[in-house]
Amino acid sequence: MKIYKTKDYDAMSLKAATILASQITLKPDSVLGLATGSSPVGMYKKLVEWYQTGNLDFSQIMSVNLDEYRGLSPDNEQSYRYFMNTHLFDHVNIRKECTHVPDGLTENPDQACEDYEALIESLGGVDIQVLGMGHNGHIGFNEPCSEFAKITHCVDLAPSTIEANKRFFESEADVPRQAYSMGIGTIMKAKKILLIVSGADKAETLYRALTGPVTPEVPASILQFHKEVYVVADEAAMSCFK
Ligand code: F6R
């Protein structure tokens, strides 16, 4: 595991964008595993800038997203498909048909989850998986629980996640209670992992995740077992590390 401590959110975003841009440059047909939320917004902004200045090419890139809210359609502004379109896909030359986000409206969740796993396999697996981390240590929507979920599945969101994510909705009541998420097993199969974390409010959880026991009660702790993880975290998030 390689940990990069940066001064602040902007420096974190720049460093994370550099790692992703290196991947794209070295392997132009990479399969990127992507995340939503506040953590990667600055990173996506940088990647868009570098595309616009002719320094990055997404024409052969494929992508799979970690998760999607159950019940939200792609054109719902709170959906993760909408987020990806507006923060990245609409601004670079990625082929939309090569971008994949779990279908929030599927009528057959079990089959759709199995199909998502098969899709990732058929693309040759994820070359680099971007992750943010929830305040409770979740990655994707793998919430703290008694055992690690292996594959893409439907999850009940933890009350703390509903609370944390209500800022994106008009009210807490509007936050979907369920989501589809890659499992921990799916995430761990990625060849590389890029975890980005910012803010003092995640410092204690980050410390537990990277130095404490590996337990499904802190889902991000599983990353200690992955062979190639890059953690990019700002000073505030790293404040529990001496
Ligand atoms: C998003 C995702 C979540 C977020 C996490 C952190 O696709 O899978 O695990 O990465 O909730 O969210 P932010 O970055 O908004 O603090």
Side-chain angles (χ1 to χ4, degrees), residues 1-5 15 19 193-195 210 223 226-233 238:
M1 180 176 295
K2 203 151 174 45
I3 302 179
Y4 299 94
K5 179 160 112 178
K15 175 63 81 182
I19 293 172
I193 290 188
L194 169 60
L195 173 68
L210 302 189
L223 300 177
H226 194 282
K227 62 179 184 352
E228 193 167 351
V229 180
Y230 302 90
V231 180
V232 185
M238 290 292 292

Side-chain angles (χ1 to χ4, degrees), residues 182-200:
M182 282 186 193
I184 292 290
T186 328
I187 292 170
M188 289 294 280
K189 275 200 231 159
K191 294 170 189 111
K192 298 174 201 158
I193 290 188
L194 169 60
L195 173 68
I196 47 186
V197 188
S198 93

Side-chain angles (χ1 to χ4, degrees), residues 35-40 66-67 80 132-134 138-140 167-168 202:
T36 63
S38 325
S39 307
L66 275 172
D67 42 19
Y80 285 172
M133 185 189 73
H138 74 212
I139 48 176
R167 68 193 194 277
F168 300 115
K202 291 185 181 168

Side-chain angles (χ1 to χ4, degrees), residues 118-164:
L119 166 79
I120 298 170
E121 289 284 314
S122 73
L123 298 176
V126 171
D127 287 299
I128 186 163
Q129 177 65 56
V130 177
L131 297 175
M133 185 189 73
H135 295 94
N136 60 7
H138 74 212
I139 48 176
F141 273 130
N142 293 280
E143 302 285 21
C145 62
S146 56
E147 64 184 81
F148 291 114
K150 291 184 188 63
I151 63 163
T152 303
H153 59 299
C154 182
V155 266
D156 293 329
L157 301 186
S160 61
T161 300
I162 293 169
E163 174 65 25

